[in-house]
Amino acid sequence: STLTGLVGYQQKESSHFVLWYTPADEAVADLVLETAEWIYEPVTARMGTWPQDQVPLVLYADRNTLKQALGWSGGESAVGIYWRGTIRLLSPAAWVYANSAEQLRAAYRQLNPIAHELTHYLLDYKTAGNYPHWFTEGLAQWIEYQVTGYLWIESRSTLNQQLYSYTDLLHRFDKLPNQPLAYRQAYLLINYLVHRFGSDSLDGLVDRLSRGERFSEAFQRETGLLPSAFFVEWLDWTQANVLNSAAAS
C-alpha cells in the first residue's frame, strides 16, 4: 500500500512500522525506524493497544516539504504530526544538531516526537476519534514524558498568568493564541488525573471511550467528577501546590 501523493519516496520496513522517505534521508532512515521500534513497546504497553497493521511513518526532508504536505501556509511548524492515520515526521537531519552519527542517535532518542505522535495514533485507533482535542494532547505529552523524559515547556507556558478555562480547552483548543500554555494545561490535567485517581483510572477512561461512551460521562463514571468539576479541583490544587514553587515558571 502506498500513501497518495508520495512521488519519489522509497519505503523501508521494520517489525511495527513502514517508513516512506526520499533519497535525501537515506542516511537517517534506519535511525528513525530504530528509534520508533525502541519507543513502540513502552508506548503500546502504556496504552494497552497493539495495532494489527504496521504504523505508517512519512519522513520529510525539510520544513517546507512538510508544510506543503499538510497544506500549511502560515507560520505553523512542527517536527512531528499525527494526521489521518499517519505519523508525519520532519527529518532529524533538518532539526537535531549533532557533530556525529552517535551524537545524533542519542539526541534523537531523547528529542524525537514519535512517542507523542504514536500515542495520538493509538488513541485514535482504539477509540475511533472519540475524545476531545485537549485530552489527546495531554495524554501524548504525558506518555512522551514517561518514555523519553521530554516535556515541552517554554517561557510562554508559565502558570503565572491567566490560565485557559475548561470551556476554552474543550471547544477551542487548537485556536487558542497561546498554544504552549494550552498544551501545558492539557499535560498537567492528565498528570493530576493520574496523581489523584491513579493510572488505572486513565486506562479505564480510554477503555470507556473505546466502547463509545461520551467523554464527560465516561470521565464521571471513572472518577466520580464531571470534567468541569475536575478542572476546578485541578485549578485549586495547582494554585496551592504549584504556583508558589519553581515548577510554575
Side-chain angles (χ1 to χ4, degrees), residues 106-229:
Y108 194 59
R109 185 168 272 215
Q110 189 191 3
L111 298 171
N112 78 86
I114 300 171
H116 184 104
E117 305 310 334
L118 183 60
T119 303
H120 286 319
Y121 177 94
L122 295 171
L123 185 66
D124 212 28
Y125 177 88
K126 189 164 185 169
T127 69
N130 180 30
Y131 49 80
H133 192 154
W134 78 262
F135 180 74
T136 188
E137 291 301 351
L139 183 65
Q141 291 176 89
W142 188 77
I143 289 183
E144 177 178 37
Y145 184 62
Q146 306 293 313
V147 173
T148 69
Y150 176 79
L151 186 59
W152 180 35
I153 296 178
E154 55 174 86
S155 56
R156 287 180 64 209
S157 63
T158 173
L159 299 177
N160 290 313
Q161 62 180 306
Q162 180 71 50
L163 301 183
Y164 287 122
S165 68
Y166 185 69
T167 308
D168 287 331
L169 297 178
L170 184 62
H171 296 298
R172 295 186 285 279
F173 190 89
D174 57 345
K175 306 218 164 34
L176 296 171
N178 187 342
Q179 284 290 297
L181 178 62
Y183 272 72
R184 179 102 187 265
Q185 285 186 238
Y187 164 76
L188 290 170
L189 282 163
I190 299 295
N191 200 42
Y192 182 65
L193 176 68
V194 174
H195 167 79
R196 173 87 166 73
F197 297 103
S199 57
D200 286 354
S201 66
L202 187 55
D203 300 339
L205 176 55
V206 171
D207 285 340
R208 288 179 184 281
L209 297 174
S210 72
R211 295 197 295 271
E213 290 185 29
R214 287 182 51 219
F215 184 78
S216 58
E217 288 158 13
F219 197 98
Q220 186 174 29
R221 287 194 181 122
E222 203 54 49
T223 65
L225 294 171
L226 280 168
S228 51

Side-chain angles (χ1 to χ4, degrees), residues 9-55:
Y9 279 72
Q10 296 158 223
Q11 195 183 328
K12 199 170 244 188
E13 297 186 21
S14 62
S15 305
H16 301 106
F17 296 89
V18 54
L19 175 71
W20 278 270
Y21 65 99
T22 58
D25 280 322
E26 183 68 59
V28 292
D30 286 337
L31 169 66
V32 172
L33 280 173
E34 175 201 305
T35 306
E37 286 294 342
W38 171 69
I39 271 159
Y40 185 84
E41 208 37 70
V43 175
T44 50
R46 188 70 214 67
M47 287 292 290
T49 311
W50 293 268
Q52 303 245 289
D53 303 321
Q54 286 168 302
V55 178

Side-chain angles (χ1 to χ4, degrees), residues 92-115:
W95 66 277
V96 181
Y97 301 103
N99 295 320
S100 66
E102 205 38 61
Q103 209 177 34
L104 180 66
R105 184 171 175 265
Y108 194 59
R109 185 168 272 215
Q110 189 191 3
L111 298 171
N112 78 86
I114 300 171

